[in-house]
Amino acid sequence: MIHNGRMLAVIGGSGFYSFFGPEARTVNLDTPYGPPSAPITVGAVGDHEVAFLPRHGVNHEFSAHTVPYRANMWALRALGVRRIFGPCAVGSLDPRLGPGAMAVPDQLVDRTSGRADTYFDSGGVHIGFADPFCPSLRAAVTGLPGVVDGGTMVVIQGPRFSTRAESRWYANQGFRLINMTGYPETVLSRELEMCYAAVALVTDLDAGIEAGQGVRAADVFAEFERNLVPFKQLLHEAIDSAANTSGVSTCTHCMPHEGVTLPIVLP
């Protein structure tokens, strides 16, 4: 296995459990944090080698708060991945951004609790996280037709959806998207010096946006399924754009450890 740091990765969200056909190879990896959500498949997108990992497992056996995030990110880095697209289902807190829209958030607000969100449990290490998403990978997606640029994504604990009051509160703060998995995936990528950009597919308007409406899991999955083919096509185009314009490894923005002695050895 060659660990050359050139491989891109896609982490599939709810309803997104495969990315390649039977020609892909399967890689089983263990980590100091246990096994990842599923075996990683490695295939080709055009001329580019790409790793795929379903965030929730092949059969959606992991809810958002039980996903083995540390194992997932560690396994991808150990495989040689240095740049990651994180497609995900999101609710919209902006009525102008309806179901089927594809958006790339530029900011994140963490409202989760109790999730293991660091590899540095010793050593007094701090990382910059003011701009949580990789600007190079974001640009590779936002430059594509029909993609919405920008917006703050608030990440809630789950597995429940928001109350109407919570939803209105988030919207009043100016947050645009709501999701359950963007944290700690994003910060763990930064700790491992991997570029990361979330790519969001809007599946619903959140509870506080439409009077009388609420979010149902069945509707979220159905909307994601309706848009899965164009969503995958968007990711193919983003991978091609990133591979051709963003270099081959981690950008300087996503390498926070310069001059710092880490308490662990990165894989």
Side-chain angles (χ1 to χ4, degrees):
M1 188 182 300
I2 300 174
H3 297 209
N4 58 15
R6 294 173 179 264
M7 193 183 299
L8 282 148
V10 172
I11 301 177
S14 297
F16 192 164
Y17 309 120
S18 64
F19 198 52
F20 305 114
E23 72 283 356
R25 62 186 173 95
T26 299
V27 181
N28 290 281
L29 291 173
D30 202 0
T31 79
Y33 308 95
S37 297
I40 299 169
T41 53
V42 179
V45 174
D47 298 327
H48 318 301
E49 190 176 37
V50 177
F52 176 77
L53 175 63
R55 182 183 292 118
H56 297 279
V58 175
N59 299 305
H60 204 101
E61 54 266 45
F62 295 102
S63 190
H65 67 297
T66 62
V67 169
Y69 294 102
R70 290 196 295 183
N72 286 351
M73 310 318 287
W74 190 276
L76 289 172
R77 163 106 189 181
L79 187 60
V81 168
R82 295 296 181 271
R83 295 179 296 161
I84 299 171
F85 287 116
C88 55
V90 301
S92 173
L93 296 163
D94 181 347
R96 297 168 297 179
L97 196 64
M102 299 180 194
V104 182
D106 61 358
Q107 275 296 324
L108 178 148
V109 172
D110 171 33
R111 294 286 299 169
T112 67
S113 61
R115 298 185 182 187
D117 62 354
T118 183
Y119 296 104
F120 304 130
D121 291 322
S122 63
V125 176
H126 305 277
I127 65 164
F129 201 53
D131 296 297
F133 300 108
C134 172
S136 298
L137 288 186
R138 286 192 71 256
V141 191
T142 56
L144 299 174
V147 178
V148 178
D149 184 358
T152 295
M153 182 170 73
V154 58
V155 184
I156 61 173
Q157 174 68 0
R160 69 171 179 86
F161 295 113
S162 299
T163 67
R164 203 174 300 282
E166 289 169 335
S167 179
R168 289 171 177 157
W169 179 39
Y170 297 143
N172 287 339
Q173 301 306 306
F175 308 155
R176 200 173 195 190
L177 306 170
I178 187 165
N179 165 263
M180 294 180 188
T181 58
Y183 190 90
E185 201 166 271
T186 311
V187 72
L188 292 173
S189 296
R190 185 64 54 85
E191 286 194 348
L192 292 179
E193 294 195 326
M194 295 189 293
C195 295
Y196 180 98
V199 185
L201 173 62
V202 176
T203 57
D204 59 275
L205 294 177
D206 214 51
I209 306 305
E210 286 189 312
Q213 299 295 312
V215 183
R216 298 192 321 140
D219 296 336
V220 168
F221 283 108
E223 183 64 28
F224 200 99
E225 179 65 26
R226 277 193 291 272
N227 291 280
L228 187 55
V229 170
F231 196 40
K232 285 185 176 180
Q233 181 58 39
L234 175 75
L235 288 163
H236 277 247
E237 293 173 8
I239 288 166
D240 192 57
S241 176
N244 291 330
T245 63
S246 301
V248 296
S249 194
T250 310
C251 72
T252 55
H253 177 87
C254 300
M255 298 185 70
H257 302 317
E258 184 178 358
V260 176
T261 301
L262 300 180
I264 63 172
V265 176
L266 303 186

